[in-house]
Amino acid sequence: RQLAAAGCEIARLAIPDMDAAHAFREICAESPLPLVADIHFDYRAALAALDAGATAISTTNQAVWNM
């Protein structure tokens, strides 16, 4: 909410593991902003983030690109 109040239009959150992916659901539910999930290692975290409401996925992990 503070980011939105400051004029932010979108936020990117790091999702380094499955614990973070599960927490992402609650963050999405409370956020007035569209959220991008930055996936580090695990393609399952990308799937979980999308299921939780991520607007988009960002990653440099090529294994995630090909899922």
Side-chain angles (χ1 to χ4, degrees), residues 36-61:
V36 176
D38 186 3
I39 305 301
H40 292 200
F41 306 109
D42 192 342
Y43 77 92
R44 294 172 301 165
L47 296 174
L50 288 170
D51 185 55
T55 300
I57 298 295
S58 171
T59 187
T60 58
N61 182 342

Side-chain angles (χ1 to χ4, degrees), residues 15-39:
I15 311 293
D17 56 34
M18 288 305 292
D19 288 337
H22 295 304
F24 189 76
R25 179 176 299 280
E26 185 175 329
I27 295 167
C28 282
E30 297 293 325
S31 176
L33 299 174
L35 300 177
V36 176
D38 186 3
I39 305 301

